[in-house]
Structures are given as structure tokens and as C-alpha cells.
Amino acid sequence: MKVKFNIDNQLAGESAEFWLKKMTNKFSQLGKELSGEQDTIWCSYDDEIIPVKFENIYLIQVEQEQTLIYDKTQSYRYKGQLYQVKNILPHNFLIASRSAIINY
């Protein structure tokens, strides 16, 4: 795939346009992330990188210097720090303490 970035500091706002042969889940997710409509966070589980939907998360917590994301069945590791997770979460997540965020 060919990717081209044009930088113009005179632009009033940023935009992106894609010409695709076919819409895939990967491009759909990319579009959501770029437009601020992200509904998942990318985490690791065992040796896989998988998306975890915000609606399934009930707790995000730092334990032993690792950011862990919990849903009803398992926990995932997030590569970034807690403040980085906070910046991408929707409004229904609350900061419970310096090391925990909950989904109400």
C-alpha cells in the first residue's frame, strides 16, 4: 500500500482520504482511531496483540509497574502508561485513584 503525507502548516484543519479496493476491519478500525471514534484499545494477551472493546472493560490498573486492563473473563497488558490510556478513553471512565480507572 502506498502512503503519502502532505504537510501544510497553513491548513485550517486536518483531514485524511483513503482510496481502497475493499473495506476491511483493519481499515475500519484505523478510520475510527483517526477520527476520534475509537471504541477499542490494543492490548497484549499471551503473545498476541488484540483489540479490547471499551464497553467490555471494567477496570484499568497499574500493578507492579504494568498497566493491566480487565474485562469479565481475563486481564490484558497495555504497553503504555495509565495517563496514556486515560487520554483515549470515553467519558464513562472515572479515575478511582492514582493507579486505577473504572468504567461506570
Side-chain angles (χ1 to χ4, degrees), residues 13-66:
E14 296 175 326
S15 66
E17 186 173 308
F18 295 93
W19 295 83
L20 307 169
K21 288 184 179 182
K22 168 180 141 178
M23 177 57 81
T24 63
N25 287 338
K26 188 175 183 179
F27 287 121
S28 177
Q29 184 65 34
L30 177 62
K32 287 179 181 178
E33 288 181 28
L34 290 174
S35 66
E37 299 173 11
Q38 185 174 352
D39 64 349
T40 59
I41 186 167
W42 291 91
C43 302
S44 59
Y45 180 75
D46 290 333
D47 291 332
E48 294 183 57
I49 304 295
I50 57 170
V52 178
K53 288 193 171 281
F54 290 146
E55 64 191 42
N56 296 334
I57 297 171
Y58 72 88
L59 173 66
I60 303 168
Q61 185 170 305
V62 176
E63 295 177 18
Q64 299 175 359
E65 298 182 18
Q66 288 189 351

